[in-house]
Structure formats: C-alpha cells, structure tokens
Amino acid sequence: MEVSSSSSAQAARQVLADRLREICRDAGLEGKQLASVCGWHPSKVSRIATAKTSPSADDILAWCQACSAEDQAEDLIASLRAVEGMWLQWHRMERTGLRRAQEAVLPLYERTRWFRNYSPNFIPGLLQTSGYTEDVLRAVQRRRVPIDDVADAVAVRMERQCVLHEGQRRFAFIVEESALRNGLGSTETQIEQLEHLLTVGSLPNVSVGVIPAKVDRTRMPVEGFMIFDKVQANVELVSGYLTVTQPSEVAMYADAFSTMAGMAVYGPKLRALITAAMGSLG
C-alpha cells in the first residue's frame, strides 16, 4: 500500500522517534535523566520521543552520546536527512515536464563512480537507444504529464549516457528476461535496442546480466531500483520516487542486487537469450 508524501514523511519521523526512545530505554535512562545529561528541558525529550518535534543532527548526536550509543548516530542522522526528501510523487516531480525531471538527476549520475541498476520491466535508461527512450517517455507523458516535451527529455537522457565513457566508473545492470520482450514500440525499435544492449554490454566497465524466466529463484522480483555508490538507492514506484540514504537500508538493496546478480546469466548465455528475443520479434 502506498502512502502520500506527508504521511510517508510522518511515518519516517515516527520510526526515528521510536529508535531514539529504544536507545534511551536500553541505556536505562528516564526522559528526565536524558534531558539532564544533554542540558535540555524535559519537554524537549518528550517532543522528540513522540515525533512531535524533529531532532537536529546535533540533537541526535547528543542523545546517542548520553546513551553511550555513539555507533548508532551516523545511521540515525542519515535517516533524519532522508525524511523530508525521501518521497516525491510523480506529479510533483514532473509538473513542469519530463525534461526538467531528467535534468534534475544528472548531477547524481555525474558524481557516482559505482552504479548498480535492477530493472524488471524495461531496459535501463543508461542502456537505451534514442528510439526506445522516446517510446518509454512518450508512454509516461501520455499517462501523467500534460506538458509534451518528450523530444527534449530524450535528448537529456541521451546526454546522461556520456557517463558510461567518462572517468573511472563501474556499471552493473540486471534485467529480467521479460524486459527483452515487453512489446514496447515497433519491432524495429525493439531489435535496435537489443542489438545496442549487446554492444554496450561489451564495454570493459559495464556488466549486463539477464535473469532467465525459468530460473530457480532464491529471491522474488522486486521493484526496480538504482544504487549510487554506497550512499543512495532510488526506487521507482507506481505513484512516486523513493530516495533511500540510510546506510543499513542502502545495504539491503545492495544485498538484493548481489543475490539477483547471482541468478543472472552473462557471456554466451546472455547473448543466446538476447538473440532468441530478437528472433521472436522477427
């Protein structure tokens, strides 16, 4: 079940408050004792512990130090910073068109050195041809964006692909076999895309794997996600765009990616799957 932007943020604030309260309890401290150690009024501890007031990073650090739980401070501060920016509904992100939405994420790609992407339904954006991208974005525009700037958005996404060839970067992509046959666009567009997938997958800094449809699964398919270095994961859901920055949660996505990478095929087996998909289109 998906929640609105405001309720999602409030739920995250509550989780943070619950964790702080547990740390205090585990340290054997009452609220008044914690307030005394931190030099606060007792009401401040109460407001933070009940999620009525969001703590600052300094508040979290002081709380953890008072409870001898300094090792948890970094994770909690990352959670705090993620609260307000963690959830963005598509209609807010795309209200001025698709071009700006594409431009907004370009700096993130440019500063990333290790990029991982799991895509269950489509060829990942960094591996798309211009024609395939146009079909993807056109479908999005028709469904939810009143402004038609698809051509400009395609150009921005194509520009983003320069990161594949610049600097010392590594890229790993995992897609489901069904993504090779999703029926998007014309036959010519799909064949061109699959041929391009073989070409870009041969780059020395790029790894492409496909999970066969009949593989014995150790993990069920999940929503598509991207991992930027070890600091951020982005998840695309039906109603919005989720940003995860809490280290322990980013690590969970990294673990999921590793598991699915182990189910994927590469090299000759990958080429066989792609060639078979091309043959079914012909």
Side-chain angles (χ1 to χ4, degrees):
M1 178 179 180
E2 295 182 3
V3 294
S4 68
S5 174
S6 58
S7 61
S8 177
Q10 181 56 40
R13 292 189 191 97
Q14 187 62 59
V15 169
L16 176 59
D18 291 344
R19 290 183 64 188
L20 288 170
R21 193 167 58 250
E22 290 171 2
I23 289 172
C24 182
R25 185 176 62 246
D26 291 345
L29 296 177
E30 298 289 340
K32 291 183 179 179
Q33 294 173 306
L34 176 63
S36 177
V37 174
C38 294
W40 301 338
H41 192 281
S43 63
K44 177 173 181 176
V45 172
S46 177
R47 291 195 303 272
I48 291 175
T50 56
K52 292 180 180 178
T53 298
S54 293
S56 67
D58 287 341
D59 291 338
I60 290 176
L61 182 58
W63 189 299
C64 290
Q65 289 175 339
C67 297
S68 299
E70 293 91 337
D71 60 326
Q72 299 189 51
E74 180 182 359
D75 208 28
L76 290 169
I77 290 172
S79 179
L80 169 70
R81 290 172 176 166
V83 167
E84 295 302 332
M86 66 180 295
W87 180 252
L88 186 60
Q89 291 180 315
W90 291 121
H91 74 85
R92 289 177 56 204
M93 187 174 183
E94 300 166 341
R95 63 181 180 273
T96 58
L98 291 172
R99 177 180 63 83
R100 290 190 178 180
Q102 294 293 314
E103 289 176 335
V105 296
L106 183 57
L108 177 59
Y109 282 85
E110 290 177 335
R111 65 176 178 262
T112 297
R113 292 296 176 267
W114 183 20
F115 177 81
R116 287 163 285 179
N117 188 179
Y118 166 69
S119 182
N121 301 311
F122 302 101
I123 303 301
L126 285 179
L127 305 181
Q128 292 175 3
T129 63
S130 177
Y132 189 94
T133 294
E134 182 174 0
D135 287 337
V136 170
L137 295 184
R138 177 61 65 190
V140 170
Q141 186 269 322
R142 287 172 176 166
R143 186 170 69 251
R144 65 187 188 219
V145 183
I147 298 173
D148 183 358
D149 61 350
V150 170
D152 291 338
V154 170
V156 174
R157 180 170 286 188
M158 292 299 101
E159 178 185 356
R160 184 193 306 167
Q161 294 182 1
C162 290
V163 299
L164 292 170
H165 310 282
E166 297 175 348
Q168 300 299 314
R169 295 185 172 95
R170 292 181 293 153
F171 301 87
F173 302 91
I174 302 295
V175 301
E176 298 286 343
E177 183 180 354
S178 57
L180 306 179
R181 298 181 172 89
N182 61 16
L184 182 70
S186 67
T187 298
E188 292 75 14
T189 296
Q190 293 180 66
I191 291 177
E192 179 188 36
Q193 175 60 71
L194 293 175
E195 290 175 339
H196 180 67
L197 186 61
L198 288 172
T199 299
V200 73
S202 66
L203 294 173
N205 62 327
V206 175
S207 170
V208 176
V210 173
I211 300 177
K214 297 182 179 180
V215 71
D216 290 332
R217 289 189 176 274
T218 56
R219 183 186 292 268
M220 294 300 292
V222 296
E223 64 276 1
F225 61 87
M226 295 164 281
I227 308 174
F228 299 86
D229 293 319
K230 296 182 179 180
V231 299
Q232 179 174 324
N234 288 352
V235 188
E236 295 186 353
L237 302 175
V238 172
S239 63
Y241 191 75
L242 178 67
T243 298
V244 176
T245 58
Q246 188 170 314
S248 61
E249 293 186 2
V250 175
M252 291 175 64
Y253 279 97
D255 177 69
F257 187 88
S258 178
T259 299
M260 288 185 288
M263 295 187 290
V265 297
Y266 306 85
K269 291 183 179 180
L270 169 67
R271 296 186 67 87
L273 281 181
I274 295 176
T275 300
M278 292 170 62
S280 69
L281 295 170

